[in-house]
Amino acid sequence: TIYVGRHAIELGFKYLLLKKAGKIETTHDLGELAELVFEEYDIKDNYMNYVDSFCKMFCEYVEGRNAEYFRFPEYRNKLILRVIVWI
């Protein structure tokens, strides 16, 4: 699902930052995390040109700048997740 992919990217960025800087970032914003990784690792390779842009646009257009969108069942006072109990 989109949540699993997004979470994998977030955890990957946080792992890289932890290994390099020795601290855990508390933000869930992929755009911010991408910027930090690019700065910390001094990334300038051509094949990485759009990774940071993708992360920023994902947060803007899919999550609506709300990084908690896929984490909680309630978003902007609307129930977005239904739990089905199988008996």
Side-chain angles (χ1 to χ4, degrees), residues 43-50:
I43 297 173
K44 295 186 173 111
D45 299 312
N46 287 337
Y47 68 91
M48 294 292 286
N49 280 347
Y50 301 105

Side-chain angles (χ1 to χ4, degrees), residues 12 14 16 27 33 38 43-45 49 60 65:
K14 287 183 174 185
L16 291 171
T27 184
L33 290 169
F38 273 60
I43 297 173
K44 295 186 173 111
D45 299 312
N49 280 347
E60 180 69 29
R65 301 297 311 152

Side-chain angles (χ1 to χ4, degrees), residues 1-47:
T1 67
I2 194 167
Y3 171 74
V4 173
R6 185 229 181 277
H7 197 63
I9 293 169
E10 179 182 339
L11 291 177
F13 283 157
K14 287 183 174 185
Y15 174 77
L16 291 171
L17 291 167
L18 176 64
K19 292 299 282 182
K20 187 77 169 189
K23 64 178 185 169
I24 296 174
E25 295 297 327
T26 57
T27 184
H28 298 292
D29 187 297
L30 293 182
E32 289 178 29
L33 290 169
E35 285 179 8
L36 291 170
V37 168
F38 273 60
E39 289 173 17
E40 198 67 45
Y41 283 87
D42 194 30
I43 297 173
K44 295 186 173 111
D45 299 312
N46 287 337
Y47 68 91

